[in-house]
Amino acid sequence: MGSIIVTGAGSGLGRALTCGLVARGHRVAMMGRRYQKLQEMEARLGQGVIGIAADLAHHEEVEVAFAAAVQWGGLPDLVIHCAGVGEFGPVGVYTAEQVRRVVESNLVSTILVAQQTVRLIGERGGVLANVLSSAAQVGKANESLYCASKWGMRGFLESLRAELKGSPLRLVNLYPSGIRSEFWDNSDHVDPSRFMTPEDAAAYMLDALEARSSCHVTDLFIGRND
């Protein structure tokens, strides 16, 4: 496999996916909003990675980031969109800024990354994998805003899958249920200490994304042992 793009690579699952890919011999263009985190990953992983700081909720930044990734490693064979944020609490407490942030960071970024991926490798082929969540399958108390953004992602991606039917570009949707990471730092409605580790979830995902000669994974649901 050639170069790979991973978004949200600076922390949590995105970081674990990046480390797992490098361990398997791949080169990874890491995208994220916090360049310091990406620099730390560069220092840790060496020449097999490059950090590209970008807010993927903005069209121009997506274009610039993908152009930088292609310049560094050529057209990607795999794009894993893992970037996202959460805001939690009962309906009625969300500010306009929180609503905007979650919808843009989760839903809008998914649309923009998918569009750019289709433009780049839609005709050549490859894989676009998106990390959703069990929150894209069922409503959850105190997670209404997060669920809304994830259900929106799912609707967009299922429609994209219909459009890509017969195309050499494969679409894979990944649905982990509760990952132990800093994602939950601003929440007090769950105890993430019993959630799955980013490394375990990443290992399942990377195994699933390896192509087979006659079949492939379309959706992967990962439940936690609690």
Side-chain angles (χ1 to χ4, degrees):
M1 182 175 287
S3 68
I4 295 170
I5 293 173
V6 176
T7 72
S11 62
L13 178 60
R15 178 171 58 198
L17 286 165
T18 299
C19 292
L21 286 164
V22 172
R24 296 178 187 220
H26 302 296
R27 303 176 73 225
V28 181
M30 309 177 297
M31 297 183 185
R33 288 173 297 173
R34 295 175 291 180
Y35 187 54
Q36 181 179 352
K37 293 285 188 181
L38 301 178
Q39 285 182 309
E40 293 171 359
M41 292 287 285
E42 287 180 329
R44 174 181 177 182
L45 298 175
Q47 296 183 346
V49 299
I50 185 174
I52 302 170
D55 183 343
L56 299 176
H58 293 87
H59 187 274
E60 298 79 6
E61 293 195 40
V62 173
E63 289 189 334
V64 171
F66 271 70
V70 171
Q71 184 176 25
W72 175 74
L75 289 174
D77 292 325
L78 168 63
V79 176
I80 304 178
H81 183 47
C82 190
V85 301
E87 294 285 354
F88 307 104
V91 172
V93 305
Y94 299 121
T95 66
E97 173 59 24
Q98 287 175 312
V99 172
R100 183 199 62 78
R101 178 171 178 262
V102 171
V103 172
E104 289 187 355
S105 297
N106 296 349
L107 176 55
V108 174
S109 71
T110 297
I111 295 170
L112 296 181
V113 167
Q115 288 191 145
Q116 194 65 24
T117 301
V118 170
R119 292 190 190 106
L120 285 177
I121 61 172
E123 295 185 359
R124 191 196 69 163
V127 178
L128 170 61
N130 287 273
V131 178
L132 290 94
S133 165
S134 58
Q137 302 168 278
V138 61
K140 301 185 179 186
N142 296 302
E143 298 184 22
S144 57
L145 179 55
Y146 182 63
C147 287
S149 67
K150 290 295 180 176
W151 282 54
M153 288 171 60
R154 183 179 178 184
F156 169 77
L157 292 169
E158 290 298 338
S159 297
L160 176 59
R161 176 174 284 162
E163 292 181 14
L164 292 175
K165 187 175 182 179
S167 163
L169 177 61
R170 290 197 288 115
L171 184 66
V172 180
N173 293 335
L174 306 166
Y175 296 87
S177 178
I179 295 177
R180 193 186 314 161
S181 73
E182 64 184 59
F183 177 84
W184 300 103
D185 287 353
N186 68 338
S187 169
D188 59 6
H189 75 287
V190 296
D191 176 11
S193 64
R194 299 181 64 185
F195 288 0
M196 69 185 78
T197 67
E199 292 74 20
D200 283 348
Y204 267 120
M205 292 177 182
L206 295 180
D207 287 345
L209 289 172
E210 292 183 358
R212 301 294 188 269
S213 60
S214 63
C215 59
H216 66 274
V217 169
T218 58
D219 299 90
L220 178 67
F221 304 92
I222 308 175
R224 59 182 187 264
N225 297 331
D226 63 356

